Amino acid sequence: MLDEFEDTMRHLRILSFSLLAMTLGASFALSQTGSSAAVDLKSPNAKIRAKAARELGKSGDLSAVGPLTTALADPSKKVRHEVVLALEQFHTPEALDALITATRDSDADIRVDAVHGLVDYYTGKTPSFGFIAFWKRAWRTAKSRFVEENVHVDPDVKPDPKVVEALVTLLNDTAQPAPAQAAADGLGILLARSAVPALVTAAHSSDPDIALESLNALSKIKDTSAVPKLVDLFDSPNKDVRREAAVTVGLLRATEALPKLQAMYKNGPDAKTREKALEGLSFLGSPITVPIFLQALWSANKAYRPLAAEGLARAGDAKALPDLMKAVQNEKDGDARLADQFAITALGRDDFLGTLVTWLDSERGENAQVYLTELARKPEFLAKLYPYLDNQDPVVRRRLCDVLMYSGDASSVAPLEKLSHDPNNDVAAEAIRALRAVRART
């Protein structure tokens, strides 16, 4: 038995030395690659310099940040583009400073790249070279009605003030609109509350795209101090700005905008304008507008019906329950039926609580998650969610972790600690993120 033990230990030592040698070899190879690329970064050939920047980014060698920072002055736009993408691979203060420097590049496209890099530094998204996948995905999500809960940093993440300052500087420079639009979007994703005054000003920009991005950012940040200076946008000459202003003031719970929203809904020149006004009213959730919601609950326009249900949920009038119970039984549209179930739950009935949780693993999972996040802000509802954390479906468990990340309180810590050891890696990772956010605010 002793001989067998010694043989086993000998084999383990040999294996350990082999693994160490492989690791050191790989590190040496990476170092050699980085060294070679650093030299190539000074090549007279722009193609070689661009390739070298890409290789330095892939190398993961922190010593590459210095040469890459110097290369931000490269005369070739293509090289500078690759340099910015490479710098995004390094989560260090030096790389962050370099990306801030890139926001002052003479080329608008490079400034946009730099904005993406600064935001990705905090979102944890690492771009593939030549294609910034997160921003493509974020743009698509930003077109949905559920943007306010989806496309932004975790609640405990606080951007460096100098990053916000750099983005505000870009936002204020409208000579070339693309960087200003990207900066507005980035400030919203970073939940940069200190940028609210600049975003309010930009929401009045003569460039409608800058104005729309700024309104979208304000919707995410949810600072009600912006409200008094946004109501005048109902009179904007641009119809898209008027529509988005209606949604934004609703999200910000601007009760002073109620008469204008009601007028826009009743007298709007087209169905889309009336829809946006109804959306603003639904976010505002005033009991005064319950009659409007009850009427819209039976609209032939399927876009109106879920908005009406959401408005009834937020208005908090339990007298609407009979209409909602009837509507949910007859509703054929999935979005409207889900909204009906949300409203019924918000008004105190638990008939559809399990169904709402089940929706999390469906094509409407994002919508259901936003509804549950809103419901869970009430402590009495939050407690009802905890039993569902044992759901057999890992997608449900993971999405419930996200709900708790935004709406959990001190009572959520123990359940999340348990899920941080979940056998599903994605669930465990989300639980850890949620724990960090909950602990930061409790």
Side-chain angles (χ1 to χ4, degrees):
M1 291 292 292
L2 184 59
D3 290 342
E4 289 180 5
F5 175 75
E6 289 178 346
D7 285 342
T8 301
M9 293 302 295
R10 185 167 60 254
H11 283 110
L12 286 173
R13 284 194 294 271
I14 291 170
L15 179 60
S16 298
F17 285 132
S18 299
L19 289 172
L20 179 61
M22 289 170 64
T23 303
L24 290 173
S27 298
F28 179 73
L30 280 173
S31 176
Q32 290 294 98
T33 301
S35 248
S36 172
V39 173
D40 288 344
L41 204 54
K42 300 177 181 178
S43 168
N45 187 315
K47 287 185 178 179
I48 293 175
R49 297 199 305 275
K51 182 181 178 182
R54 194 178 305 117
E55 292 300 323
L56 285 171
K58 291 177 179 178
S59 74
D61 186 348
L62 295 180
S63 67
V65 173
L68 286 169
T69 301
T70 302
L72 286 172
D74 195 285
S76 166
K77 173 183 173 179
K78 181 179 179 181
V79 173
R80 298 198 307 278
H81 169 73
E82 293 295 345
V83 167
V84 172
L85 290 181
L87 284 165
E88 289 185 52
Q89 311 301 309
F90 301 99
H91 202 83
T92 67
E94 293 77 17
L96 190 67
D97 288 340
L99 289 169
I100 290 173
T101 298
T103 65
R104 300 189 288 271
D105 193 278
S106 60
D107 186 271
D109 291 338
I110 302 300
R111 297 200 295 278
V112 171
D113 289 339
V115 171
H116 293 174
L118 289 172
V119 176
D120 291 345
Y121 185 93
Y122 292 100
T123 61
K125 308 292 182 182
T126 303
S128 55
F129 285 87
F131 177 71
I132 304 187
F134 169 69
W135 284 74
K136 296 285 185 181
R137 183 168 64 253
W139 178 253
R140 286 198 299 272
T141 307
K143 299 306 178 187
S144 82
R145 291 175 37 249
F146 296 94
V147 61
E148 73 276 5
E149 297 295 350
N150 293 322
V151 188
H152 55 64
V153 294
D154 290 352
D156 62 307
V157 175
K158 306 298 179 189
D160 192 307
K162 63 188 176 185
V163 170
V164 175
E165 183 181 352
L167 294 181
V168 167
T169 298
L170 283 178
L171 178 65
N172 292 336
D173 181 5
T174 57
Q176 292 178 302
Q181 292 170 37
D185 197 13
L187 289 165
I189 291 171
L190 295 178
L191 302 179
R193 193 170 295 272
S194 63
V196 165
L199 286 166
V200 169
T201 299
H204 291 78
S205 171
S206 58
D207 184 303
D209 291 326
I210 294 175
L212 290 170
E213 289 291 2
S214 299
L215 285 169
N216 188 38
L218 289 166
S219 294
K220 294 174 189 173
I221 298 169
K222 294 186 177 67
D223 188 330
T224 56
S225 69
V227 169
K229 297 181 180 178
L230 295 178
V231 177
D232 66 316
L233 290 175
F234 280 82
D235 301 317
S236 169
N238 184 281
K239 66 179 180 181
D240 291 325
V241 172
R242 292 196 300 272
R243 291 169 177 172
E244 290 309 313
V247 177
T248 301
V249 297
L251 272 164
L252 297 179
R253 304 296 171 91
T255 54
E256 58 264 53
L258 183 59
K260 283 182 174 287
L261 285 170
Q262 289 176 309
M264 181 184 282
Y265 176 66
K266 291 177 181 178
N267 307 316
D270 53 74
K272 191 64 179 179
T273 297
R274 292 193 294 275
E275 178 190 333
K276 288 294 185 179
L278 184 60
E279 186 174 351
L281 287 169
S282 77
F283 280 122
L284 196 55
S286 170
I288 295 173
T289 45
V290 166
I292 290 176
F293 298 141
L294 286 173
Q295 183 182 35
L297 193 65
W298 303 100
S299 172
N301 187 328
K302 69 178 184 180
Y304 288 10
R305 298 199 298 273
L307 295 172
E310 291 173 16
L312 290 169
R314 294 169 187 133
D317 187 347
K319 293 178 183 177
L321 274 170
D323 288 270
L324 285 164
M325 293 298 290
K326 184 179 178 182
V328 77
Q329 298 302 327
N330 293 290
E331 185 58 69
K332 299 293 188 290
D333 179 74
D335 287 340
R337 188 166 63 254
L338 174 57
D340 290 341
Q341 293 166 353
F342 160 64
I344 290 166
T345 308
L347 293 177
R349 294 270 305 253
D350 291 340
D351 307 49
F352 297 102
L353 174 54
T355 306
L356 282 174
V357 172
T358 302
W359 278 105
L360 290 171
D361 190 4
S362 73
E363 62 182 2
R364 293 181 175 84
E366 194 170 83
N367 303 28
Q369 182 178 316
V370 171
Y371 286 147
L372 288 168
T373 299
E374 182 170 340
L375 290 167
R377 289 175 187 142
K378 298 179 180 178
E380 62 273 19
F381 181 85
L382 178 62
K384 295 177 183 179
L385 278 185
Y386 293 143
Y388 293 97
L389 294 174
D390 293 325
N391 193 288
Q392 291 186 348
D393 187 339
V395 174
V396 170
R397 298 198 303 276
R398 176 176 59 79
R399 283 193 176 276
L400 285 175
C401 287
D402 287 337
V403 169
L404 296 180
M405 177 161 58
Y406 294 103
S407 298
D409 59 21
S411 70
S412 308
V413 171
L416 285 170
E417 284 179 339
K418 180 181 176 182
L419 281 178
S420 70
H421 302 287
D422 194 276
N424 183 285
N425 290 337
D426 291 338
V427 174
E430 287 303 298
I432 291 169
R433 286 179 63 206
L435 268 172
R436 190 176 65 230
V438 170
R439 284 172 170 155
R441 67 170 177 267
T442 58

